[in-house]
Amino acid sequence: MELAQRAAETAEHFVAPLGRRWLHVQAVAARAAELSPAVPSQDRDMLVAAAWLHDIGYSPEIGHTRFHPLDGARWLQSQQWPAAVVNLVAHHSGARFEAAERGMVQELSEFPFEDSVLLDALVTADLTTGPGGERLSYDQRIDEILSRYAPDDPVHRTWVKARPALAESVTRTEKRLAEAQPR
C-alpha cells in the first residue's frame, strides 16, 4: 500500500483545504478499499491511490482549465505518477462525457482511455459516495448531482448522457465483488 499512502498524503495537501470535498475524497478512498476484492490483487493499491487522487484537480494550485479530471491528471503526470493512476484520474466517473460537453475531448485524449475493471471500481467508489462522504446508491448520487446544476449546465447535461453507461460500470463492479466474496 505504499502508492496509496503517498496518494493519501498528496490528496490531503491539495484537497483538505477545500472543506467538504475532503470528506468526499476520504470516503471514496475507503469505499475503493472495500471494493478492492473486485479487482486483481496486484491492482488494488493502484485503485486506492487513484481514489485518493481523483479530485485533486479541484485544487486552485493545480486547476488551470477548470476541468478537474484533466487538471489532476496533468499535474500527476508532471510529477511522474504511474501512468495507470494518471489515466484513471483523467477518465474517472465519466470524464469523457463532460469533456464532450465542454469541448475538451482533444485535451482529454492526451490520456489513453481504457474501459477496465479498475476504472469500473473507481467509478463505483466515487459514484456511491456523496459530496460529504455519505454512502449513497448510484441513482441517489446521480440525482444529487443533477439537483445541484441547472439543466443547461454542462455538468447536468453530462450526467443525463453518462448515467446509463456508468450504471453499467457500477453493476459490473458489484457483480465482481459478489463473485470475489467467500461463499
Side-chain angles (χ1 to χ4, degrees):
M1 288 302 235
E2 178 180 314
L3 188 66
Q5 181 57 42
R6 184 172 148 224
E9 292 166 4
T10 302
E12 183 172 14
H13 171 79
F14 288 110
V15 184
L18 304 180
R20 186 170 81 149
R21 183 155 314 274
W22 179 231
L23 298 174
H24 169 75
V25 167
Q26 291 174 88
V28 170
R31 181 78 172 122
E34 292 171 17
L35 296 169
S36 68
V39 304
S41 59
Q42 69 271 16
D43 293 334
R44 292 174 183 167
D45 194 39
M46 195 84 58
L47 169 64
V48 175
W52 276 112
L53 297 167
H54 81 282
D55 277 352
I56 65 165
Y58 280 115
S59 170
E61 293 178 59
I62 294 173
H64 304 293
T65 69
R66 304 189 65 74
F67 181 41
H68 80 277
L70 179 63
D71 292 331
R74 282 179 170 167
W75 185 85
L76 290 166
Q77 186 176 56
S78 77
Q79 302 299 306
Q80 284 85 47
W81 282 79
V85 171
V86 172
N87 294 336
L88 285 166
V89 169
H91 292 286
H92 79 273
S93 301
R96 66 192 183 278
F97 295 96
E98 189 169 346
E101 287 296 324
R102 294 183 179 278
M104 299 184 82
V105 170
Q106 185 64 36
E107 291 89 339
L108 190 61
S109 73
E110 296 169 25
F111 304 97
F113 174 78
E114 182 183 349
D115 199 6
S116 68
V117 170
L118 274 171
L119 186 59
D120 281 352
L122 182 57
V123 164
T124 303
D126 189 21
L127 297 179
T128 59
T129 304
E134 62 278 15
R135 180 73 57 91
L136 300 174
S137 71
Y138 174 74
D139 284 328
Q140 288 171 325
R141 176 70 163 132
I142 301 308
D143 290 344
E144 179 277 320
I145 293 169
L146 291 171
S147 75
R148 285 188 282 133
Y149 296 91
D152 63 339
D153 188 282
V155 174
H156 188 100
R157 292 192 311 264
T158 292
W159 289 106
V160 168
K161 292 175 184 169
R163 187 177 203 154
L166 296 182
E168 293 174 14
S169 292
V170 173
T171 298
R172 286 190 299 264
T173 299
E174 289 170 347
K175 182 178 181 211
R176 288 180 190 118
L177 186 63
E179 291 170 352
Q181 300 302 323
R183 298 178 193 256

